[in-house]
Amino acid sequence: MARSRYGNRPALDGIRGLAMLTFMAFHLGVLSLQGAWVGINLFFVLSGFLITRLLIEERVDYGHIDVLGFYRRRARRLLPGLMLLLATLCAYGVVWASDDVRRGLRADLLATLGYVMNWRLILRDDQYFETFGNPSFLRHAWTLSVEEQFYVVVPLLVSALFVLRGRRAQTAVVLALAVVSAAWTSVVGLGGVTAQAHAYYGTDTRVQSLLVGVGLAFGLGLRRRGRRPRPLPRAVVTALGWGGLGALVVAYVAVPPLAGWMFDRGGILLTSAAAAALVTACADPRPSVLTSALGLRPIAYLGKLSYGLYLWHWPIHLWLAHAVPDMPTWLHVVAGMVVTTGVAATSYELVERPVLRAGVRGLVPTGRRGSRLVMLTSVVALVAASFAVGRVPASATPVTSAPAVQLVPGAPAYVPGRERITFGLFGDSVPEKLLENRPPRYSDLAAVGLTDPGCDLTDLPRAGGNPKESLPTPRCLALKQGMADAARSGELDVVVLMTGTVASLPHLIDGRAVGVEDPRYEGLVVAALERMRRDARAGGAQQVQVVTVPCRDRRMSYLPDSYRAYLDRHPSFADAGADPVVLNRLITRWAGENDVPVLDLYGALGCAKGFTARRHGIDLYGDGVHFSPEATPMIWTWLAPAIRSAYQQRAGAGS
């Protein structure tokens, strides 16, 4: 099909430059845990606009839309680069990836290839701005999934809208659908981790931005007989461009990604309107300062690479973090951009562009039938390779039924007691993972999870990164404030408090970062422990126990870049997080004053002699934070007897 009649040099370069700006907003936002959502909204608006504009031109020029042809063109543009990335990740998974990474990679590869990665993340309650542990190498592919799901329906939508007469009616219908999506997003809300994942990744919640782009394309699109619409006055275009850009910059800096009004009160729709204003200015065929700036040759060329840059930036970011965990943050960003640009340019020149020009025959000299065979064979091979990635060596799989290696050598074998004990385990994702992988042999201990990822003892924001994003979730607040109800409804005999490494990191009080040794923070920790002890007893629990915090790797490579950069500038805080002696001393002192048994995990792991990543030949931490599936049975050989012993010795003693 002929080039879009809007494809003159100023508009074309302006759009390419805007694509580069979109990628940079997203990439830097991910690294800073702040403004990635701005790039996402802009990307969806721009994508909806460009695709719909081409479909409108096809409908006006030929009287119909070749739907199958549209799908073929989209496949030719998107699949080569994506399949190259997935093949690379397959090779990485088979040859180099750790078992912990490999376990989830197979499903991620298949979900990405099937363009349903966003729904896989929703089903996992994935939190986009939570990068502790092992985030998926394909987490960023959720936007591609939303876009591809949109591509399935957009040619049908455009064809249906041509039943209506006039651009105004068509635009009104599309924007009404966008409002419906925004209203539905407010219903989904942010009331828990499941709702947050749905609101952030859902096709139904994100389609409002795509529809804003569709509406813009109809508003500025060709009339029925192919006439170009009358251009907007230059002053209006200029105001829209700079006003939209300014609004997005303010949102990038000032609005946290999960701000309630963004999802509950139409914030996504509002920022999408600002993005549409910027797109309007960049698509204007008349030269302007804005399009000239965005259309500079280097920026325009990088705009051509924006798809490849997006595909590769996140895996390369994670590879660098794994390979060189001590690299300074600024150098990590620079090195990541240089490597990503080189890989994206290579992919574009050697794979993507040849396929765009000549299909599969651009890579493999063959006829039409042979091209289809090559494509089908490639997809089948990629699926087969994805299944191979998921295989974990038998020696590395956790065996929950056979006797586990004792964490503390010489400890007697566990003998189930006659009395069944029900305990609730409170804490963050560390105890959550312990419960998920708990061996079945402890039949006399019934466990109830009182956990939420990132749940902290206090309600203070953490220093480093975006403080608003580290505030407790509604579920975390409910767990802490509803301990009496949880103990009563679960008929808990024991509540075990597992405070977690987060409590040892610096927090903000009156805007100032304080450590565990600060009397104000210490008082809040003690108050939180005391409140949960009191509430658990009020709910009928006979005993409360507390677990000391284990040591961690001083490099803390599992933390987000912003946190690591902050701790690099404040080594005393990093030391307190890696070796939480002060926090454990505080916990132990409080426990002694209140007759609360202390389960000394810090001591059981031998932390007094320094951090060790392996114990008895087993990797303790699969991701630096959570105990690996192989180590979890070993941890339970110590934790289960400790819970029962403490209960039997001191139950009813008033703890």
Side-chain angles (χ1 to χ4, degrees), residues 201-518:
Y201 296 120
T203 309
D204 49 346
T205 57
R206 290 294 184 174
V207 74
Q208 56 186 297
S209 298
L210 287 158
L211 288 170
V212 168
V214 175
L216 180 64
F218 271 101
L220 300 179
L222 299 174
R223 298 181 181 181
R224 284 181 176 271
R225 296 182 180 179
R227 291 179 297 167
R228 293 180 58 178
R230 181 181 299 174
L232 295 171
R234 280 183 176 271
V236 173
V237 172
T238 300
L240 287 173
W242 291 107
L245 180 61
L248 293 179
V249 169
V250 171
Y252 185 96
V253 174
V255 181
L258 291 178
W261 71 273
M262 285 293 300
F263 297 87
D264 295 339
R265 294 187 291 278
I268 292 178
L269 192 61
L270 183 61
T271 54
S272 296
L278 178 57
V279 172
T280 299
C282 291
D284 191 87
R286 296 165 295 188
S288 68
V289 174
L290 182 61
T291 55
S292 296
L294 291 174
L296 293 173
R297 289 301 176 88
I299 297 177
Y301 178 73
L302 291 175
K304 286 184 179 180
L305 306 181
S306 58
Y307 176 60
L309 292 172
Y310 185 82
L311 286 177
W312 290 96
H313 82 280
W314 178 245
I316 288 173
H317 165 68
L318 294 181
W319 277 323
L320 283 175
H322 289 179
V324 195
D326 293 327
M327 183 183 295
T329 302
W330 70 268
L331 184 57
H332 183 111
V333 172
V334 172
M337 285 301 300
V338 170
V339 175
T340 300
T341 302
V343 173
T346 302
S347 172
Y348 180 77
E349 298 294 344
L350 299 184
V351 177
E352 297 169 54
R353 190 159 71 168
V355 174
L356 272 174
R357 288 178 172 175
V360 175
R361 285 170 289 182
L363 295 177
V364 182
T366 182
R368 177 175 296 181
R369 186 172 298 178
S371 297
R372 294 174 181 173
L373 180 61
V374 169
M375 192 65 190
L376 179 61
T377 303
S378 300
V379 172
V380 171
L382 190 54
V383 171
S386 299
F387 277 97
V389 168
R391 294 180 180 174
V392 178
S395 60
T397 55
V399 181
T400 57
S401 57
V405 176
Q406 295 284 345
L407 179 65
V408 179
Y414 185 81
V415 179
R418 296 181 179 178
E419 179 185 9
R420 185 176 176 84
I421 299 173
T422 301
F423 71 95
L425 188 58
F426 168 84
D428 55 17
S429 57
V430 173
E432 183 176 83
K433 295 296 184 183
L434 281 174
L435 290 175
E436 286 180 5
N437 298 307
R438 188 168 74 104
R441 67 176 63 94
Y442 306 107
S443 57
D444 59 327
L445 294 177
V448 175
L450 306 174
T451 61
D452 186 55
C455 195
D456 200 352
L457 272 178
T458 71
D459 297 340
L460 297 172
R462 293 188 297 273
N466 186 342
K468 293 181 181 180
E469 292 305 310
S470 63
L471 290 172
T473 65
R475 173 168 169 76
C476 179
L477 290 172
L479 287 171
K480 292 189 289 187
Q481 297 170 2
M483 188 62 71
D485 292 337
R488 189 177 298 111
S489 62
E491 299 181 349
L492 302 181
D493 300 304
V494 184
V495 171
V496 181
L497 304 178
M498 201 165 187
T499 56
T501 299
V502 170
S504 63
L505 296 174
H507 289 67
L508 294 176
I509 296 181
D510 296 330
R512 181 180 178 184
V514 299
V516 183
E517 71 285 348
D518 188 283

Side-chain angles (χ1 to χ4, degrees), residues 614-631:
R614 293 175 62 84
R615 193 166 179 84
H616 309 311
I618 297 174
D619 289 331
L620 283 174
Y621 304 101
D623 56 13
V625 181
H626 308 99
F627 292 109
S628 68
E630 296 77 28

Side-chain angles (χ1 to χ4, degrees), residues 6-25:
Y6 292 95
N8 61 347
R9 177 58 62 184
L12 188 61
D13 286 349
I15 290 295
R16 286 172 175 168
L18 185 57
M20 181 58 190
L21 180 66
T22 301
F23 165 72
M24 289 301 300

